[in-house]
């Protein structure tokens, strides 16, 4: 299990099943996918969000909301669900379950097909939603997880063939400017940069590097 939202210290390890292990804390080269390798049978995305600009998704953002307005992968707008599913696909691991609001569930099915999804809230606005109770949500998630594991042979890999290009629209021009410290980054406009590689994991690491330096730029550290 990888705790990878906000401070990345949200999950109480004392409440986990004793068979579980937990990755907690920040500074991870694969961020939300840290710890994944080819030995896994499937991954579950729990508590994910729709990408920034996707309808009125609750807390819609793309990986790092303070730095990113939009990310395109090979020309298509994507969010953390599709981006991270590509990492899983690179390791030969399918995404079997996605949990979030109704906007996120539709987004996941668009990119990943007939996987299991659970909408634990209905989006009203970025800051408002119609919620299920925790007990009801837990029941639905447990049932969906059981169905997902029973259907693994139906789950398709989200494998993206190279070359892979991520185009990033940053919040500020200074962010795009400082991203060009990396020699592999192409600046395409005042707020737009792009990275590319034949390897999905390498392209992702370049993307993450741009987000990290953008965040530092926003705080005036550089």
């Amino acid at each position: 299990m990888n705790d990878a939202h906000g401070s990345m210290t949200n999950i109480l390890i004392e409440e986990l099943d004793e068979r579980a292990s937990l990755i907690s804390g920040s500074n991870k080269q694969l961020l939300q996918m840290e710890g994944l390798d080819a030995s896994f049978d499937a991954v579950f995305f729990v508590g994910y969000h729709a990408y920034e600009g996707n309808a009125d998704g609750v807390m819609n953002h793309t990986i790092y909301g303070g730095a990113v307005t939009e990310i395109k992968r090979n020309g298509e707008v994507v969010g953390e669900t599709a981006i991270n599913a590509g990492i899983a696909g690179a390791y030969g691991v399918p995404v079997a379950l996605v949990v979030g609001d109704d906007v996120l569930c539709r987004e996941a099915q668009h990119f990943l097909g007939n996987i299991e999804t659970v909408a634990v809230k209905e989006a009203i606005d970025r800051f408002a939603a119609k919620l299920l109770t925790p007990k009801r949500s837990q029941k639905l998630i447990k049932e969906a997880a059981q169905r997902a594991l029973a259907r693994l042979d139906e789950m398709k890999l989200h494998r993206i063939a190279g070359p892979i290009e991520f185009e990033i629209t940053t919040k500020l021009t200074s962010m795009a400017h400082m991203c060009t410290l990396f020699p592999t980054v192409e600046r395409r406009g005042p707020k737009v940069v792009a990275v590319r590689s034949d390897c999905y994991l390498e392209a992702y690491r370049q993307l993450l590097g741009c987000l990290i330096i953008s965040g530092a730029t926003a705080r005036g550290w550089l």
Side-chain angles (χ1 to χ4, degrees):
M1 181 179 296
N2 180 20
D3 186 347
H5 284 91
S7 67
M8 306 189 194
T9 56
N10 309 287
I11 297 173
L12 300 177
I13 194 169
E14 60 268 25
E15 295 187 4
L16 296 180
D17 187 289
E18 64 181 12
R19 294 167 294 181
S21 61
L22 175 67
I23 297 173
S24 182
S26 52
N27 292 338
K28 304 168 183 173
Q29 288 194 4
L30 288 181
L31 201 60
Q32 293 170 311
M33 303 303 286
E34 187 70 24
L36 182 68
D37 60 35
S39 69
F40 287 77
D41 294 318
V43 293
F44 294 172
F45 293 165
V46 180
Y48 269 48
H49 300 90
Y51 61 75
E52 181 163 339
N54 187 357
D56 290 312
V58 177
M59 293 180 65
N60 61 80
H61 66 277
T62 305
I63 303 181
Y64 190 176
V68 176
T69 297
E70 181 180 84
I71 294 176
K72 291 182 179 179
R73 183 182 64 192
N74 292 353
E76 182 176 18
V77 178
V78 289
E80 59 191 24
T81 298
I83 292 171
N84 288 341
I87 296 174
Y91 282 111
V93 181
V95 178
L97 171 66
V98 173
V99 179
D101 69 10
D102 57 319
V103 177
L104 181 276
C105 289
R106 290 192 294 272
E107 179 183 320
Q109 289 167 343
H110 168 74
F111 285 103
L112 307 179
N114 188 28
I115 64 168
E116 293 290 334
T117 62
V118 181
V120 295
K121 58 181 72 72
E122 181 181 336
I124 296 172
D125 179 76
R126 190 175 191 275
F127 301 109
K130 181 180 179 181
L131 309 175
L132 300 182
T133 64
K135 286 185 177 180
R136 176 64 174 160
S137 296
Q138 291 163 8
K139 180 176 185 295
L140 292 175
I141 293 169
K142 182 177 181 179
E143 292 172 348
Q146 292 171 338
R147 290 194 303 272
L149 294 177
R151 296 180 51 221
L152 284 184
D153 59 342
E154 303 174 26
M155 303 298 178
K156 297 181 180 180
L157 293 177
H158 188 66
R159 199 189 297 268
I160 308 300
I164 310 299
E165 178 184 275
F166 286 111
E167 183 179 89
I168 310 152
T169 302
T170 62
K171 298 286 188 182
L172 304 173
T173 56
S174 58
M175 295 175 177
H177 170 69
M178 293 305 289
C179 283
T180 59
L181 282 170
F182 300 123
T184 56
V185 174
E186 175 191 352
R187 192 171 187 183
R188 293 183 172 172
K191 296 182 180 181
V192 181
V193 295
V195 297
R196 67 185 61 80
S197 175
D198 289 331
C199 170
Y200 193 94
L201 298 177
E202 173 59 27
Y204 174 80
R205 289 187 175 98
Q206 291 186 62
L207 165 67
L208 185 56
C210 286
L211 303 190
I212 291 169
I213 201 168
S214 293
T217 302
R219 294 188 290 270
W221 290 1
L222 301 178

